[in-house]
Amino acid sequence: AGDLPSQFFKGCTNLTTISSLPATIVKRYCYYQMFYGCEALTKAPSILPSMTLNYACYFEMFRECYALTTLPQLPATTLAESCYEYMFDSCSEINSTMELPSTVLTKRCYYGMFNYCTNLTTAPQLPATTLADECYKNMFKSCSNLITISELQATTLANNCYESMFEGCKKLTTAPQLKSIKMGVSSCQYMFKGCTSLTKAPELIATTLASNCYNGMFENCKALESTIDLPATT
């Protein structure tokens, strides 16, 4: 896989079938926008087997594949900046995802990965304990049918790491447990903004805060029935 943007099949609106992609070493931008806008594509390759990723290697790979229902396995445990950024953005027919096994994240690695996947009901387990700036930003933004999400394991947050992560998830009723004790700048900004069915906020146990860390976190959460303790004194 090369070092320059591929875009091989971008905008091939009648493409319905693709073969396997067996590469185990991926370079910068190697699958960049490869199937962007393939509106008739229903099935991705069963696996993208590379275990070590590179900068923006899968960036927008299946963006706007509106008919896509079957996603590839993503076994990589060593990620790279922007590796999965907007990979499945606007794939409105998918309703479940794959395992995301990495416990150490990189900058923008999952940024907008499932943005506007409006039929998605269940999010994957997110076992990461080491985060990076903007790693989960917009990951499930506007997934309007999302109802099931897992706990978030990290205790130290990076800048903007959870920003708008679940913004606009209108059917979400329960927020995931947050184990964060140290915040980053704007780390939870707009995290649940517009989650109009959310009735219970997660416990916020952090005692070390940062600028804008909770800014707009529950904005327009009209169904919230009670607030939570905020133990930070500074």
Side-chain angles (χ1 to χ4, degrees):
D3 195 40
L4 296 174
S6 65
Q7 300 177 315
F8 280 171
F9 304 104
K10 183 177 180 180
C12 293
T13 55
N14 289 315
L15 185 68
T16 59
T17 305
I18 55 178
S19 61
S20 62
L21 297 171
T24 55
I25 298 175
V26 293
K27 294 186 177 181
R28 294 166 57 90
Y29 296 111
C30 65
Y31 293 129
Y32 172 86
Q33 294 186 344
M34 190 172 189
F35 302 105
Y36 189 139
C38 293
E39 299 177 1
L41 187 66
T42 60
K43 187 177 181 180
S46 61
I47 188 171
L48 297 174
S50 180
M51 295 297 292
T52 301
L53 306 187
N54 213 317
Y55 180 81
C57 56
Y58 300 130
F59 186 92
E60 296 185 338
M61 187 176 183
F62 297 99
R63 191 171 191 173
E64 296 184 10
C65 290
Y66 300 126
L68 193 68
T69 58
T70 304
L71 304 186
Q73 295 179 49
L74 301 174
T77 53
T78 302
L79 306 187
E81 183 175 341
S82 298
C83 57
Y84 296 129
E85 186 169 341
Y86 288 118
M87 187 175 185
F88 302 105
D89 176 43
S90 300
C91 293
S92 52
E93 288 301 310
I94 64 173
N95 57 28
S96 62
T97 61
M98 72 297 285
E99 291 185 16
L100 297 173
S102 180
T103 58
V104 179
L105 304 188
T106 54
K107 186 176 181 180
R108 298 173 70 95
C109 58
Y110 295 137
Y111 190 113
M113 187 177 186
F114 300 104
N115 184 52
Y116 277 97
C117 290
T118 52
N119 202 39
L120 184 66
T121 59
T122 304
Q125 297 289 315
L126 299 173
T129 53
T130 301
L131 306 188
D133 293 352
E134 301 183 312
C135 56
Y136 289 126
K137 185 175 179 179
N138 296 348
M139 187 176 187
F140 302 103
K141 185 177 180 180
S142 298
C143 290
S144 52
N145 280 298
L146 188 67
I147 56 175
T148 304
I149 53 181
S150 63
E151 292 183 0
L152 299 169
Q153 305 297 327
T155 57
T156 299
L157 302 190
N159 298 335
N160 305 89
C161 60
Y162 293 148
E163 183 177 347
S164 297
M165 187 176 184
F166 301 105
E167 181 179 339
C169 293
K170 297 179 180 179
K171 289 193 176 180
L172 194 65
T173 59
T174 305
Q177 181 178 342
L178 300 180
K179 300 180 179 180
S180 319
I181 56 176
K182 185 176 181 180
M183 313 300 287
V185 173
S186 302
S187 52
C188 294
Q189 180 169 255
Y190 307 132
M191 187 176 185
F192 300 102
K193 180 180 178 181
C195 292
T196 51
S197 297
L198 192 68
T199 58
K200 185 178 180 181
E203 186 179 1
L204 301 176
I205 61 175
T207 55
T208 303
L209 305 188
S211 299
N212 295 312
C213 60
Y214 294 136
N215 181 39
M217 187 175 183
F218 302 105
E219 183 178 335
N220 203 33
C221 291
K222 299 178 179 180
L224 271 183
E225 297 172 352
S226 62
T227 57
I228 61 274
D229 291 332
L230 299 171
T233 58
T234 303

